[in-house]
């Protein structure tokens, strides 16, 4: 399997790069260049799945990181990608697409549903004893929870008019980042219930969120890291920050 001693980097000008991250210094050990630039990637075992701005999904064998090779392609693979089990989930081009990766060299479309408008981002997480894709896309139902436990029969179960630049889900809570942080409770799988809101004096928008335990970790595009204690979702509180801007 692809070792934790390596990191995969998507470089818009140089394709995919693999770096060995042993101490004392990282070292470039392999690269793979393909048409277009990589917009999103995910790794499973010895295979990288990479989407590009040319609306293709490539499967790339990285068993030998110094000699990466393309083994498959799917010609409607635009946007972001997430993996869960043997399935890949894609969001782009106004579509939410589920692919079967039983044979990584031949990704097979299982189902695709239109989400309308500009699809911004999504996450796939186990919530409420099922598997859900939480999708943010422009439109009247801009934040949507889709039950994908049965990949051939995805079901829209809840939606609210709240568009986010970034998303995370943990436990039964969904975090939406804009120029603030909004928290929804998803205990009832038929309802996204607004429970908390935190206004942040951001230098720019929240471009990424990770939720672990009682904390949400936010990337402020113009500043760096912001840490929010959401142990009480109704009263989230910023408890730390780290300025990562260049002097």
């Amino acid at each position: 399997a692809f070792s934790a001693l390596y990191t995969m980097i998507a470089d818009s000008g140089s394709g995919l790069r693999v770096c060995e991250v042993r101490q004392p210094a990282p070292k470039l050990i392999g690269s793979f260049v393909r048409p277009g630039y990589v917009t999103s990637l995910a790794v499973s075992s010895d295979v990288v799945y990479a989407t590009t701005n040319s609306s293709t999904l490539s499967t790339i064998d990285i068993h030998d990181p110094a000699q990466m090779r393309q083994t498959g392609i799917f010609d409607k693979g635009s946007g972001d990608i997430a993996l869960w089990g043997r399935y890949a989930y894609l969001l782009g081009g106004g579509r939410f697409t589920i692919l079967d990766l039983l044979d990584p060299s031949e990704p097979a479309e299982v189902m695709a549903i239109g989400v309308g408008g500009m699809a911004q981002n999504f996450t796939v997480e186990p919530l409420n004893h099922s598997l859900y894709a939480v999708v943010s896309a422009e439109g009247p139902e801009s934040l949507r929870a889709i039950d994908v436990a049965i990949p051939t029969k995805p079901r829209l179960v809840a939606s609210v008019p709240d568009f986010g630049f970034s998303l995370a889900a943990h436990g039964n809570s969904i975090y939406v980042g804009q120029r603030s942080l909004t928290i929804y409770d998803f205990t009832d799988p038929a309802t996204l219930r607004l429970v908390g809101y935190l206004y942040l004096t951001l230098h720019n928008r929240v471009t990424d969120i990770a939720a672990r335990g009682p904390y949400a970790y936010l990337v402020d595009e113009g500043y760096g890291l912001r840490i929010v204690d959401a142990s009480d979702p109704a009263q989230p509180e910023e408890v730390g920050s780290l300025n990562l801007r260049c002097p």
Side-chain angles (χ1 to χ4, degrees), residues 17 86 88 95 109 112 152 173 208 216:
R17 296 185 173 192
R86 79 181 214 195
R95 291 169 24 117
E109 183 174 313
T152 56
S173 295
D208 202 3

Side-chain angles (χ1 to χ4, degrees), residues 123-140:
T123 185
V124 176
E125 296 288 345
L127 301 165
N128 277 322
H129 310 293
S130 192
L131 185 65
Y132 290 89
V134 183
V135 177
S136 175
E138 291 182 337

Side-chain angles (χ1 to χ4, degrees), residues 59-226:
T59 59
I60 301 166
D61 187 327
I62 56 172
H63 178 74
D64 179 358
Q67 300 289 333
M68 292 184 285
R69 61 188 181 89
Q70 181 171 293
T71 57
I73 194 166
F74 178 72
D75 63 4
K76 292 182 285 187
S78 63
D80 289 337
I81 183 171
L83 303 178
W84 193 274
R86 79 181 214 195
Y87 295 95
Y89 303 86
L90 303 175
L91 181 68
R95 291 169 24 117
F96 176 70
T97 305
I98 302 176
L99 301 179
D100 189 336
L101 303 177
L102 181 61
D103 181 353
S105 66
E106 295 186 6
E109 183 174 313
V110 174
M111 180 64 69
I113 57 177
V115 294
M118 182 183 73
Q120 185 68 30
N121 55 73
F122 78 114
T123 185
V124 176
E125 296 288 345
L127 301 165
N128 277 322
H129 310 293
S130 192
L131 185 65
Y132 290 89
V134 183
V135 177
S136 175
E138 291 182 337
E141 297 179 333
S142 49
L143 182 66
R144 308 169 191 186
I146 302 171
D147 188 330
V148 294
I150 303 176
T152 56
K153 298 179 180 179
R155 298 184 301 115
L156 176 66
V157 296
S159 63
V160 291
D162 189 357
F163 180 77
F165 295 116
S166 52
L167 293 172
H170 181 68
N172 286 327
S173 295
I174 294 173
Y175 303 84
V176 181
Q178 298 175 333
R179 297 182 187 276
S180 58
L181 177 67
T182 306
I183 304 175
Y184 288 90
D185 180 81
F186 195 50
T187 303
D188 178 355
T191 305
L192 287 167
R193 183 172 63 91
L194 176 62
V195 292
Y197 178 86
L198 178 63
Y199 174 77
L200 296 167
T201 306
L202 295 173
H203 294 259
N204 212 311
R205 62 185 182 175
V206 177
T207 57
D208 202 3
I209 304 175
R212 295 292 182 273
Y215 297 101
Y217 303 86
L218 285 59
V219 176
D220 177 347
E221 188 176 45
Y223 176 78
L225 176 66
R226 316 289 288 268

Side-chain angles (χ1 to χ4, degrees), residues 227-241:
I227 303 174
V228 175
D229 184 342
S231 53
D232 180 358
Q235 294 184 322
E237 177 185 7
E238 183 172 6
V239 294
S241 63

